[in-house]
Amino acid sequence: GMTIALLLQRRGYKVTIFESRNQIGGVLRYGIPEYRLPKRIIDLLEKHLLDLGVKIRPNILIGPVLSLDKLFEDGYAAAFIGTGVWNPRTLGIKGESFGNVHFAIDYLKSPQFYSLGENVAVIGAGNVAMDAARTAIRLGAEVTVVYRRTEAEAPARLEEIEHAKEEGVKFSFL
């Protein structure tokens, strides 16, 4: 959404970002840990957008609060809907709703509010899994990443896996 706003503003369009949270950035701001992407970088991008004349409307959810029809009635000519990647991928296993299974995308938004316990298993080996594992280990848990394939087949970037290992994350492949 921020990229679209930047590109359109540079081409001379008047742009308004309606953000459902208090600050723009979506997963960049709320889902990627500070050690990987400092919030000041997103703040700089936000300032740049504001300097270019982009209007930002925080805490506005399009749909239940303001409809697309209302935006068009008010003179907006077009709308880009950037929904982000907030929906977690479930495992579809029995017991998933009992409270001991947490979704990484939700956990990464506010890890300080989770009581994961001393031993944490992270299922999967993508970049989000590495972020969850490294965040949990930094908060004092012993963490094991469990992945059904080999390390070579893990979708996370190699350096992400190496950083996780350096921080003490254990891996169980296959």
Side-chain angles (χ1 to χ4, degrees):
M2 293 185 303
T3 301
I4 293 291
L6 180 67
L7 293 173
L8 290 174
Q9 189 72 27
R10 283 184 174 170
R11 291 186 180 163
Y13 294 94
K14 291 182 182 178
V15 177
T16 302
I17 296 175
F18 293 92
E19 173 57 53
S20 65
R21 293 183 163 81
N22 11 333
Q23 292 183 285
I24 65 170
V27 170
L28 294 177
R29 182 177 298 278
Y30 297 104
I32 298 178
E34 179 77 17
Y35 63 86
R36 279 212 27 221
L37 178 61
K39 305 302 179 245
R40 64 181 166 70
I41 302 295
I42 304 161
D43 294 341
L44 288 171
L45 179 56
E46 180 177 0
K47 182 183 179 325
H48 183 63
L49 288 167
L50 290 168
D51 289 346
L52 287 174
V54 172
K55 189 178 210 179
I56 298 174
R57 303 271 320 270
N59 297 312
I60 302 285
L61 182 60
I62 299 299
V65 176
L66 280 180
S67 68
L68 284 175
D69 289 340
K70 178 64 177 147
L71 293 178
F72 292 132
E73 284 174 25
D74 288 347
Y76 287 90
F80 168 80
I81 301 172
T83 60
V85 291
W86 292 109
N87 292 328
R89 291 178 58 191
T90 65
L91 294 172
I93 59 174
K94 184 175 179 160
E96 205 166 10
S97 65
F98 291 163
N100 291 325
V101 175
H102 305 283
F103 303 111
I105 193 71
D106 296 330
Y107 171 66
L108 290 169
K109 282 188 262 184
S110 50
Q112 69 276 15
F113 296 114
Y114 284 78
S115 297
L116 298 181
E118 294 176 13
N119 295 296
V120 173
V122 174
I123 300 171
N127 290 324
V128 173
M130 296 306 110
D131 287 346
R134 291 175 69 194
T135 298
I137 210 161
R138 287 165 183 235
L139 292 175
E142 288 188 32
V143 180
T144 302
V145 169
V146 180
Y147 185 56
R148 64 188 169 138
R149 295 188 176 119
T150 66
E151 182 172 355
E153 295 172 287
R157 294 185 358 236
L158 181 59
E159 58 265 22
E160 291 298 323
I161 293 172
E162 291 306 316
H163 290 307
K165 286 180 180 179
E166 289 167 6
E167 290 187 41
V169 174
K170 297 176 184 105
F171 287 81
S172 180
F173 294 102
L174 298 170

